[in-house]
Amino acid sequence: MNFELSANSLDKVSSGGVIAFVFQKKDEEYKPHESFIKLNLILKGQLEKAAKLQNFSGKRGEVLVFIPQEKTLFNQVFILGLGKEDKFNLNELRKAIGALSGKVKHKIDSVSMDLPKVLKEELLNTVQAVCEGFILGSYEFNKYKEKKKKNKELSAVIFANAKNSKEIAKGIESAKLYCEGTILARDLVNEPSSVVSPTFLAETALEISKKDTHIKCKIFEKDELEKMGMGGFLSVAKGSDTPPKFIHLEYISKSKSNKKLAIVGKGITFDSGGISLKSGDSMMTMKCDMSGAAAVLGVFSVISKIKPSFSVIGLIAATPNLISGRATMPGDIAKTLNGKTVEILNTDAEGRVTLADSICYAVKEGATEIIDLATLTGACEIALGTEITGLFSNDSDLTEKVKKAAYSSGENVWELPLFENYKELNKSEVADVSNIPNTRWGGAITAALFLAEFIDDKKWVHLDIAGPAFTEKPNELGPKGGTGFGVRTLLNLFK
Ligand code: BES
Ligand code: ZN
Ligand code: ZN
């Protein structure tokens, strides 16, 4: 998608459609924004008439199409709701634009608009939110559909009245990078697990590193992992014929900072539950169980253009969790990279076992900070719903940074406690720790406490993305499927 600037006013730009923004008033009536007032004047009050006639409320994302009878440079007007003015911020703007983008993506090839002023926000950030809305809102994954929509593609957005072209260009550039990373993550999640195997993820990582001299990549094969002692990861991989891969990506910063951030993604390419088999219904979407890994790859695909001032390593233990005569059985014991033993009482709690080894590896590599992203527990989705990620941490500074980064990306996180008292729920009779707690209550917390066993003394944030990684229904920023959650939050941490 191209973003262009025009010094002309809104009515002097030719496009397939122009946006007239409106806010929502308390009483379900709309309140016009400047762009609406301007266009309404040019159209001699017809916009107002149409909005009233159709009971337009200005709800965020509501769209009303108006086709002027007289000759104008724009073919139609999109009256677009921004929601309540006192709640208006960049996240609302991004979603409103996303909703419009999704609705018009196959109907017109260009849109023109004025950039609305968002209170206290810099122009750059407003532009970035708008462009992200356009790009993400029109995302599709239709490569397996024979009949693709062959109509027009929304390919150009023109900002009218554009001043400060340098700042606008920066906002556009950032949005393009953030969306490129997000879209790679979405595509990886949306592809079936028969395509996105551990080998596929490893090849994707290698390709990323080949394109960029700042990025190194090493793939560890099964025999090396055995020698290293990654018994946790290998116990999950045992049931599959497809070879496991451990992916180590590294972005080397030129600065002399001692900080080394590890981003660790859960990379279960399909979670059947293993011997503790899931039901048919609950494994239907389990190709999404590598969403954390997808986010790590999404981040690395653009990281060197964002140039963090510290080193970043990306770690993925990639394998499906399958059932076979060779699979790990409940009651088996696995030895992880730091020597701790884990009693596997439920093979469906596999993510934490693979993450344990990945985290130990990050510690050994000298990471000073660790952030993991994992579709870890159904319990987290029950606690926070489908739009909020659970955040757990042992460090308040890192927590604040991640919360801020998430907020400005429009991704939702909410902190849940690493409540030490519950640690004993993960006790095992025969090993150092059990992979499931002895109670079903507080499952997201006990899973996080399991991971905490492997963190050493490093600063750590755990993001349980089980809810937001995959959406069952379309939303303003994309269709059903992978959301690419986490990519934009992580990229914001590099700014
Ligand atoms: N991958 C699942 C968690 C999950 C559930 C992700 C729903 C996305 C949507 C994970 O491996 C799992 O199966 N967890 C179990 C843990 C239990 C056996 C302690 C769960 O949440 O039921
Ligand atoms: Zn599982
Ligand atoms: Zn899983």
Side-chain angles (χ1 to χ4, degrees):
M1 198 176 286
N2 274 321
F3 298 93
E4 297 159 21
L5 312 191
S6 166
N8 292 339
S9 66
L10 212 47
D11 56 311
K12 303 266 160 31
V13 175
S14 55
S15 72
V18 62
I19 304 179
F21 290 111
V22 289
F23 289 111
Q24 180 181 15
K25 276 207 229 163
K26 280 199 189 79
D27 44 12
E28 294 298 304
E29 235 185 82
Y30 72 90
K31 179 186 173 205
H33 176 267
E34 255 173 76
S35 53
F36 182 97
I37 297 169
K38 230 189 280 177
L39 291 162
N40 189 45
L41 208 68
I42 292 158
L43 296 169
K44 301 188 184 75
Q46 289 181 78
L47 280 191
E48 199 180 344
K49 206 169 155 192
K52 287 227 164 97
L53 211 63
Q54 308 257 356
N55 281 330
F56 192 79
S57 73
K59 216 166 68 192
R60 187 245 293 140
E62 189 181 357
V63 181
L64 178 64
V65 182
F66 176 82
I67 301 172
Q69 298 299 308
E70 54 274 70
K71 213 172 174 294
T72 47
L73 284 174
F74 43 86
N75 298 335
Q76 47 194 326
V77 182
F78 301 119
I79 305 176
L80 175 60
L82 293 175
K84 300 224 167 85
E85 196 171 11
D86 55 348
K87 297 243 167 69
F88 186 56
N89 61 23
L90 292 184
N91 295 334
E92 295 295 297
L93 177 60
R94 187 188 288 107
K95 283 186 186 166
I97 293 284
L100 176 81
S101 179
K103 277 177 194 153
V104 305
K105 64 186 171 193
H106 292 299
K107 300 199 176 102
I108 51 163
D109 53 13
S110 62
V111 175
S112 52
M113 62 180 280
D114 269 349
L115 282 161
K117 175 85 195 108
V118 184
L119 208 66
K120 290 190 208 142
E121 292 291 349
E122 287 170 26
L123 178 63
L124 187 155
N125 295 334
T126 306
V127 173
Q128 182 173 347
V130 166
C131 298
E132 285 176 1
F134 272 114
I135 300 172
L136 297 177
S138 66
Y139 171 83
E140 283 180 332
F141 184 80
N142 59 7
K143 64 189 271 201
Y144 296 104
K145 286 212 183 272
E146 199 200 346
K147 275 194 200 135
K148 295 195 181 88
K149 296 199 175 110
K150 287 206 184 79
N151 302 344
K152 289 176 184 168
E153 288 287 329
L154 177 57
S155 60
V157 175
I158 307 145
F159 298 128
N161 251 320
K163 299 175 189 91
N164 294 327
S165 54
K166 260 196 190 153
E167 213 182 333
I168 296 179
K170 273 190 197 157
I172 295 170
E173 181 59 23
S174 276
K176 282 186 172 169
L177 289 175
Y178 279 46
C179 292
E180 186 184 330
T182 303
I183 286 173
L184 173 61
R186 285 184 179 183
D187 285 346
L188 287 169
V189 173
N190 288 334
E191 284 284 357
S193 70
S194 55
V195 174
V196 177
S197 59
T199 305
F200 189 96
L201 290 177
E203 277 165 5
T204 306
L206 282 168
E207 255 169 54
I208 288 171
S209 75
K210 267 186 213 141
K211 280 191 204 139
D212 204 304
T213 54
H214 297 97
I215 300 175
K216 281 201 298 201
C217 177
K218 172 141 180 54
I219 309 294
F220 294 93
E221 305 291 335
K222 189 174 158 217
D223 50 341
E224 292 166 280
L225 299 170
E226 276 164 0
K227 276 186 215 134
M228 288 158 75
M230 285 214 192
F233 174 31
L234 290 170
S235 78
V236 176
K238 260 170 75 181
S240 322
D241 294 329
T242 165
K245 305 276 172 181
F246 187 82
I247 302 168
H248 172 159
L249 279 159
E250 187 152 3
Y251 167 80
I252 304 135
S253 163
K254 278 192 207 125
S255 87
K256 291 201 179 75
S257 161
N258 289 328
K259 176 168 157 181
K260 191 171 187 178
L261 171 69
I263 52 177
V264 180
K266 173 172 170 181
I268 300 297
T269 55
F270 183 79
D271 184 9
S272 74
I275 300 283
S276 316
L277 195 63
K278 284 185 187 294
S279 71
D281 276 356
S282 49
M283 71 168 90
M284 216 129 65
T285 58
M286 278 303 136
K287 66 175 183 182
C288 82
D289 216 16
M290 37 59 75
S291 297
V296 169
L297 291 170
V299 165
F300 268 85
S301 71
V302 294
I303 195 169
S304 64
K305 291 187 191 125
I306 295 179
K307 301 189 185 66
S309 59
F310 47 85
S311 291
V312 185
I313 57 179
L315 305 174
I316 298 164
T319 177
N321 180 27
L322 295 180
I323 184 165
S324 89
R326 279 172 287 105
T328 288
M329 312 286 160
D332 284 356
I333 294 173
K335 190 169 183 174
T336 60
L337 190 54
N338 71 356
K340 276 196 188 177
T341 53
V342 181
E343 184 182 14
I344 311 293
L345 284 175
N346 187 319
T347 61
D348 197 12
E350 82 299 338
R352 65 195 78 184
V353 183
T354 63
L355 287 164
D357 273 337
S358 309
I359 288 170
C360 291
Y361 181 90
V363 173
K364 283 200 169 180
E365 281 294 305
T368 54
E369 295 176 12
I370 299 172
I371 299 175
D372 77 80
L373 299 98
T375 43
L376 201 63
T377 65
C380 196
E381 193 170 4
I382 289 172
L384 297 175
T386 57
E387 291 182 35
I388 307 173
T389 280
L391 180 155
F392 300 84
S393 179
N394 59 6
D395 187 87
S396 54
D397 287 346
L398 189 57
T399 297
E400 281 319 302
K401 278 190 203 158
V402 174
K403 281 184 182 170
K404 250 198 190 149
Y407 180 76
S408 33
S409 74
E411 298 183 320
N412 304 316
V413 302
W414 194 260
E415 188 172 3
L416 296 172
L418 263 182
F419 187 57
E420 291 281 323
N421 258 24
Y422 291 172
K423 228 175 117 171
E424 65 175 43
L425 301 173
N426 286 330
K427 268 193 184 150
S428 158
E429 293 291 326
V430 294
D432 295 330
V433 63
S434 161
N435 84 322
I436 51 159
N438 59 20
T439 167
R440 55 190 284 256
W441 310 115
I445 300 177
T446 46
L449 284 165
F450 176 93
L451 298 181
E453 300 277 345
F454 301 89
I455 282 301
D456 205 37
D457 58 351
K458 304 294 179 256
K459 295 176 183 174
W460 165 60
V461 161
H462 158 54
L463 298 173
D464 192 332
I465 59 172
F470 192 91
T471 171
E472 297 275 359
K473 35 182 216 306
N475 62 34
E476 296 90 342
L477 294 178
K480 174 179 168 162
T483 59
F485 186 99
V487 173
R488 286 172 291 129
T489 293
L490 289 173
L491 292 177
N492 273 342
L493 284 174
F494 301 156
K495 273 188 166 169

